[in-house]
Amino acid sequence: MSDDQLKANTPSIPLRKPYGSTDLISTKTPPHHGRHSKDTKWWVVLNLAFQSIGIVYGDIGTSPLYVYASTFSNGIKHKDDVLGVLSLVFYTLTLLPLIKYVFIVLRATDNGEGGTFALYSLICRYAKVSLIPSQQAEDRQVSNYTLELPNKRVKLASVLKSSLEKSKFAKLFLLLITMLGTSMVIGDSILTPSISVLSAVGGVKEATSALTQDMIAGISIVILVFLFMIQRFGTSKVGYTFAPILSLWFILIGGIGFYNIIKHDTAVLKAINPIYIVEYFIRNKKDAWVSLGGVVLCTTGGEALFADVGHFSVRSIQVSMCSMVYPALILAYTGQSAYLRQHPDSASDAFFKSVPGSMYWPMFVVSILASVIASQAMISGTFSVVHQSLSLGCFPRVKVVHTSANHEGQVYIPEINYFLMLACVGVTFGFKTTVKIGNAYGIAVVFVMTLTSALLVLIMIMIWKTNIFLIILYVVTIGFVELMYLSSVLYKFSLGGYLPLAFSALLMIVMYVWNNVYRRKYHYELDHMISPERLTEIFTNKNMSRIPGLAMFYSELVQGIPPIFEHYVSNVPALHSIIVFVSVKSLHVNKVPAEERYFFRRVEPRKLFAFQCAVRYGYNDVREVAFEETLITRLKEFIQEETWMQIQTLSIGGKMTETGRESDREIEHNEISKAKQAKEEKLREIMEQEIEQVEKAWEEVGIVHLIGQSEVIASKESNVMKRILVDYAYSLLRRNLRQSEAVFDIPHKRMLKVGMTYQL
């Protein structure tokens, strides 16, 4: 039985305006926050653009430290190979980070939020592809839920939407590639700190040869451990603190690049001609194809750019990329190429060897700071991605600490932080060189880019309804380039490329196991919910006493009475005077306005004094500290609004009666008015009594929270794979991770666990 078949006959009122409003249906458009408004003042855009430099571009900005070392891992065999690689870098930077991400992908934000889950949420809101049937028609009334769609109707979009909605495999496949993209981003955040810090610290070899590679790796590990240990203090001032440092970094690498072009070889500018790419492949054949795995490292940070757009605005990121970041990177790579044309033996450490002697120590210090900033950006991004996954039921329960009162998106997750720290230390200790880490890094980067393109094509077809020829152009250009790079990095599987795939496989298994059992539990509750007849029987049972107070029963079920209630009454023959069945669910939207978050429905008949409450959050929302107080306030408002709607219905009914025969109207008018007035007074009296009861229960007796202490086991007829998934994998995760009361921060003194068994 689907949730749509379970809707109550009584009206359900989303809380939008206080009692007495004359507007039943919200007509307001999604709010344009200052950061995302189209008419944002130019100085605000410039301020945000400056801040974005400190958050968004650390990863791509530090890539000149190691790109040429990874590309020319076997040395430079021909002088013109430098021109071929520079041409590849130029067109790759232009095509992927600049054109694809800055001017195309950034259009696919979810109310200003970016990332893999934002793309998946857009698709889920347009087409019914979610595997959990917890959607309610009223969810579409949330102000920022509705998508702005083109008016034109395209047959291909309708066919694709219908195919996705009908195919369970397609729904599962969409979820899996979203999980894969998320796990690759987490893998990226393991490799970014390792390769960035190791590359920067390795520059000290230019000043002294006394340090061995093991010592450099040890210093890098100390810096990494320190970086992860300070994460718990939060990053609320990252933008203002780091922006000047990275701005200085881009000015320095651009200036030094320009200096090297003038000093060493201005002919390197010929690389803008793509014929040098063709000649490079003709000369080197397979080796040129393998070297693409190093070239693609110049695009690192494209996904971070998309994921961090929510902190700024699309226009501010476009301004900062085009005005500072892109020109500085082009100058930096061109300057290194000019140096390498004259010193082909310096490819293994091209960055620091191309730095003029007087600038060495300033560049060394700034490079260390820039690499730490790049690492910080990826770590913070990972916390945000895990938070999104957790909200949508795709990640096990972990503790989420909100580190800033002013910026809701800034979170810290202790378990993930320590996992990343151990992984980074292990990678740095195990590989020791940037060349080996670069082999692993490339796979993580290209996989995420390719998955983003796949989801973007779906959005182009279904939501944007883009011209089919433009979609084909995107696939044959950007899609082809990404597949070429993917084939190259996969070739390095045995040289370290297995590492991000192993990390991603482990994370995907964890995410899939948790999400699979989460879905199975929801369907179990849906199949075993209490029927209206059984509910009435429970409440009217003479042996069942009603005691003062308010009880909240928590479950995943958004409609219908969950089986936890049956288990409770079978063991405790007493019910509180007010019952609220609470379901906390996440919508496929980044934020739900606070005034639209609580959705109440009365459980009939009215004398039961029971309610259902769906508490709706976006995947980036912060849960209220004063949850109980807010819920009680919204419950009283619901009772007021429900009464007001019933009074309005009486008024409409009275007017319809008065439009009967003219001869009877005057005679019946007084009787109708008296009867209507009496009913209105009765309704108001009931409303006041119910609100008084709620206030009394809240202030004098208090709230009792009832949570299911569930044991999940596979049913007897389950196959071997299902038994392994449910009885072993899920049980292992559940025993070692946080329980729901720890996540919801429910007071232990007022919490009661109800034991029950799920046979899935």
Side-chain angles (χ1 to χ4, degrees):
M1 182 181 295
S2 68
D3 277 7
D4 290 338
Q5 297 171 309
L6 303 172
K7 292 182 178 179
N9 294 326
T10 56
S12 52
I13 303 101
L15 294 171
R16 300 185 186 280
K17 295 192 175 182
Y19 176 58
S21 169
T22 58
D23 186 8
L24 279 179
I25 301 175
S26 175
T27 57
K28 60 185 177 184
T29 56
H32 286 290
H33 301 291
R35 294 195 168 191
H36 308 291
S37 176
K38 293 181 180 178
D39 59 350
T40 304
K41 301 296 183 181
W42 63 268
W43 60 82
V44 177
V45 172
L46 290 179
N47 182 40
L48 290 174
F50 176 71
Q51 290 184 52
S52 69
I53 293 173
I55 295 288
V56 174
Y57 301 108
D59 198 1
I60 194 172
T62 54
S63 58
L65 286 168
Y66 47 79
V67 166
Y68 280 155
S70 297
T71 304
F72 296 116
S73 57
N74 296 323
I76 299 173
K77 299 177 182 178
H78 191 281
K79 192 175 182 180
D80 283 349
D81 285 353
V82 176
L83 294 179
V85 170
L86 176 60
S87 189
L88 279 168
V89 168
F90 172 75
Y91 285 104
T92 301
L93 271 175
T94 303
L95 195 62
L96 296 182
L98 186 64
I99 295 178
K100 175 189 171 181
Y101 278 98
V102 173
F103 290 107
I104 300 178
V105 175
L106 287 188
R107 289 183 59 212
T109 60
D110 179 10
N111 294 302
E113 293 292 335
T116 307
F117 266 100
L119 296 178
Y120 178 67
S121 294
L122 286 175
I123 296 172
C124 285
R125 275 157 48 201
Y126 179 75
K128 296 179 180 178
V129 295
S130 177
L131 290 170
I132 299 176
S134 62
Q135 299 80 25
Q136 296 171 289
E138 294 82 3
D139 293 342
R140 296 187 174 275
Q141 297 176 16
V142 173
S143 57
N144 57 353
Y145 192 94
T146 305
L147 299 172
E148 295 182 7
L149 303 175
N151 293 326
K152 55 186 178 181
R153 302 176 67 87
V154 179
K155 184 177 180 181
L156 179 60
S158 300
V159 171
L160 181 58
K161 177 183 177 183
S162 177
S163 300
L164 288 176
E165 291 178 343
K166 292 178 181 178
S167 172
K168 187 174 182 180
F169 172 78
K171 295 178 183 180
L172 181 60
F173 182 73
L174 265 179
L175 180 63
L176 288 177
I177 64 172
T178 303
M179 289 181 178
L180 178 60
T182 301
S183 60
M184 281 291 180
V185 169
I186 298 174
D188 194 2
S189 65
I190 294 172
L191 299 173
T192 294
S194 300
I195 194 171
S196 299
V197 174
L198 196 59
S199 299
V201 175
V204 78
K205 289 188 295 184
E206 291 300 305
T208 175
S209 57
L211 290 177
T212 64
Q213 194 62 44
D214 288 342
M215 296 171 69
I216 291 173
I219 295 172
S220 301
I221 289 173
V222 172
I223 294 174
L224 289 171
V225 171
F226 173 75
L227 176 64
F228 283 103
M229 293 304 292
I230 64 174
Q231 290 301 309
R232 66 180 183 274
F233 298 111
T235 57
S236 59
K237 297 181 180 178
V238 165
Y240 284 111
T241 305
F242 289 169
I245 298 173
L246 273 182
S247 296
L248 176 62
W249 168 257
F250 283 117
I251 291 171
L252 288 174
I253 64 173
I256 291 173
F258 182 77
Y259 169 82
N260 284 329
I261 295 170
I262 301 300
K263 180 181 179 181
H264 296 291
D265 189 3
T266 56
V268 78
L269 298 175
K270 297 186 297 182
I272 197 171
N273 188 344
I275 190 64
Y276 288 101
I277 298 176
V278 177
E279 294 176 354
Y280 176 66
F281 275 90
I282 292 174
R283 275 194 307 273
N284 296 280
K285 299 179 176 60
K286 180 182 177 182
D287 290 340
W289 171 68
V290 173
S291 71
L292 290 177
V295 174
V296 77
L297 296 181
C298 71
T299 67
T300 60
E303 198 64 29
L305 181 149
F306 180 41
D308 289 329
V309 67
H311 296 291
F312 309 100
S313 69
V314 173
R315 181 59 57 85
S316 65
I317 287 183
Q318 290 173 340
V319 168
S320 58
M321 182 67 169
C322 296
S323 63
M324 174 173 278
V325 177
Y326 178 75
L329 289 173
I330 294 298
L331 285 172
Y333 286 115
T334 306
Q336 286 187 48
S337 298
Y339 178 84
L340 289 176
R341 292 262 291 173
Q342 302 300 322
H343 306 86
D345 295 334
S346 301
S348 61
D349 195 13
F351 181 85
F352 282 104
K353 289 190 176 182
S354 66
V355 174
S358 60
M359 291 296 296
Y360 169 76
W361 283 111
M363 282 302 296
F364 175 73
V365 174
V366 176
S367 68
I368 293 287
L369 295 175
S371 64
V372 170
I373 293 169
S375 305
Q376 174 63 60
M378 285 305 302
I379 295 166
S380 300
T382 299
F383 293 155
S384 298
V385 166
V386 172
H387 183 215
Q388 293 177 6
S389 307
L390 177 65
S391 299
L392 296 175
C394 295
F395 205 88
R397 297 188 185 104
V398 289
K399 183 179 181 180
V400 178
V401 180
H402 298 275
T403 59
S404 172
N406 299 321
H407 302 86
E408 293 183 356
Q410 294 182 6
V411 296
Y412 164 67
I413 304 176
E415 292 93 335
I416 300 300
N417 185 61
Y418 293 122
F419 168 76
L420 292 178
M421 183 181 71
L422 293 175
C424 281
V425 169
V427 168
T428 306
F429 179 77
F431 286 95
K432 292 186 175 66
T433 66
T434 58
V435 174
K436 292 180 180 179
I437 298 178
N439 294 334
Y441 198 21
I443 288 185
V445 171
V446 183
F447 247 111
V448 174
M449 288 196 301
T450 307
L451 292 174
T452 298
S453 286
L455 292 174
L456 187 64
V457 168
L458 288 179
I459 290 173
M460 286 179 175
I461 296 173
M462 290 194 304
I463 300 176
W464 294 350
K465 298 180 174 62
T466 307
N467 188 293
I468 187 63
F469 294 106
L470 294 178
I471 297 174
I472 293 173
L473 179 63
Y474 179 89
V475 172
V476 298
T477 53
I478 293 176
F480 175 74
V481 169
E482 289 177 343
L483 289 176
M484 282 292 294
Y485 279 122
L486 183 62
S487 66
S488 175
V489 295
L490 286 175
Y491 178 78
K492 297 183 178 181
F493 179 84
S494 60
L495 302 176
Y498 59 85
L499 189 65
L501 295 179
F503 277 134
S504 299
L506 175 63
L507 289 168
M508 271 203 70
I509 290 172
V510 170
M511 294 172 73
Y512 177 76
V513 167
W514 190 268
N515 181 262
N516 183 278
V517 178
Y518 177 82
R519 286 186 278 115
R520 291 178 186 274
K521 286 173 62 179
Y522 188 91
H523 283 283
Y524 178 91
E525 289 192 346
L526 196 61
D527 294 336
H528 293 81
M529 65 182 182
I530 302 172
S531 65
E533 295 78 14
R534 174 57 182 152
L535 183 65
T536 304
E537 181 183 335
I538 291 173
F539 275 95
T540 56
N541 188 346
K542 294 181 180 180
N543 296 324
M544 186 67 64
S545 58
R546 301 296 292 265
I547 58 178
L550 191 152
M552 291 186 186
F553 288 85
Y554 291 83
S555 78
E556 305 292 344
L557 208 60
V558 296
Q559 292 175 349
I561 308 303
I564 182 179
F565 185 67
E566 178 86 56
H567 284 269
Y568 172 77
V569 297
S570 63
N571 292 282
V572 182
L575 287 174
H576 292 75
S577 58
I578 306 172
I579 305 291
V580 181
F581 299 99
V582 179
S583 172
V584 180
K585 73 170 186 176
S586 292
L587 301 185
H588 286 288
V589 65
N590 63 327
K591 291 183 182 299
V592 176
E595 67 272 14
E596 300 172 353
R597 186 162 293 163
Y598 292 80
F599 182 80
F600 282 90
R601 190 189 303 276
R602 187 183 288 274
V603 178
E604 292 297 326
R606 186 162 189 162
K607 64 181 180 180
L608 302 182
F609 210 175
F611 305 88
Q612 288 179 297
C613 175
V615 187
R616 306 175 295 189
Y617 291 96
Y619 51 79
N620 274 347
D621 272 329
V622 179
R623 290 180 177 172
E624 303 95 328
V625 177
F627 173 73
E628 291 180 350
E629 184 176 353
T630 306
L631 189 141
I632 294 298
T633 301
R634 297 293 188 244
L635 176 58
K636 291 189 291 185
E637 289 179 1
F638 168 78
I639 294 172
Q640 289 177 330
E641 292 185 0
E642 181 187 45
T643 304
W644 177 72
M645 283 191 67
Q646 291 171 341
I647 291 174
Q648 290 293 99
T649 304
L650 284 176
S651 299
I652 295 172
K655 291 178 182 179
M656 292 176 63
T657 305
E658 290 176 9
T659 57
R661 291 180 301 171
E662 187 175 351
S663 59
D664 296 335
R665 188 180 305 166
E666 187 174 349
I667 300 173
E668 296 177 355
H669 178 73
N670 292 334
E671 295 181 5
I672 293 172
S673 298
K674 289 180 180 179
K676 185 167 75 72
Q677 186 176 2
K679 289 180 180 179
E680 288 181 5
E681 290 178 357
K682 182 64 175 176
L683 287 172
R684 286 195 174 93
E685 183 183 346
I686 294 173
M687 177 194 72
E688 292 171 359
Q689 289 176 354
E690 289 185 337
I691 291 177
E692 184 181 354
Q693 281 185 264
V694 171
E695 291 175 344
K696 185 176 180 181
W698 159 245
E699 296 172 359
E700 297 181 9
V701 183
I703 297 176
V704 176
H705 302 266
L706 295 107
I707 298 176
Q709 183 70 23
S710 58
E711 180 184 359
V712 180
I713 60 174
S715 58
K716 294 181 179 179
E717 59 272 13
S718 300
N719 56 38
V720 176
M721 287 302 297
K722 185 176 177 181
R723 288 181 180 275
I724 293 174
L725 187 145
V726 176
D727 293 342
Y728 298 98
Y730 178 78
S731 296
L732 178 65
L733 290 175
R734 190 172 175 276
R735 283 197 304 269
N736 290 280
L737 293 169
R738 296 175 184 270
Q739 301 301 312
S740 57
E741 65 270 13
V743 177
F744 291 124
D745 197 22
I746 296 172
H748 286 274
K749 292 181 179 179
R750 291 186 279 112
M751 180 182 63
L752 182 63
K753 294 183 179 181
V754 181
M756 57 184 299
T757 302
Y758 289 85
Q759 287 194 345
L760 307 179

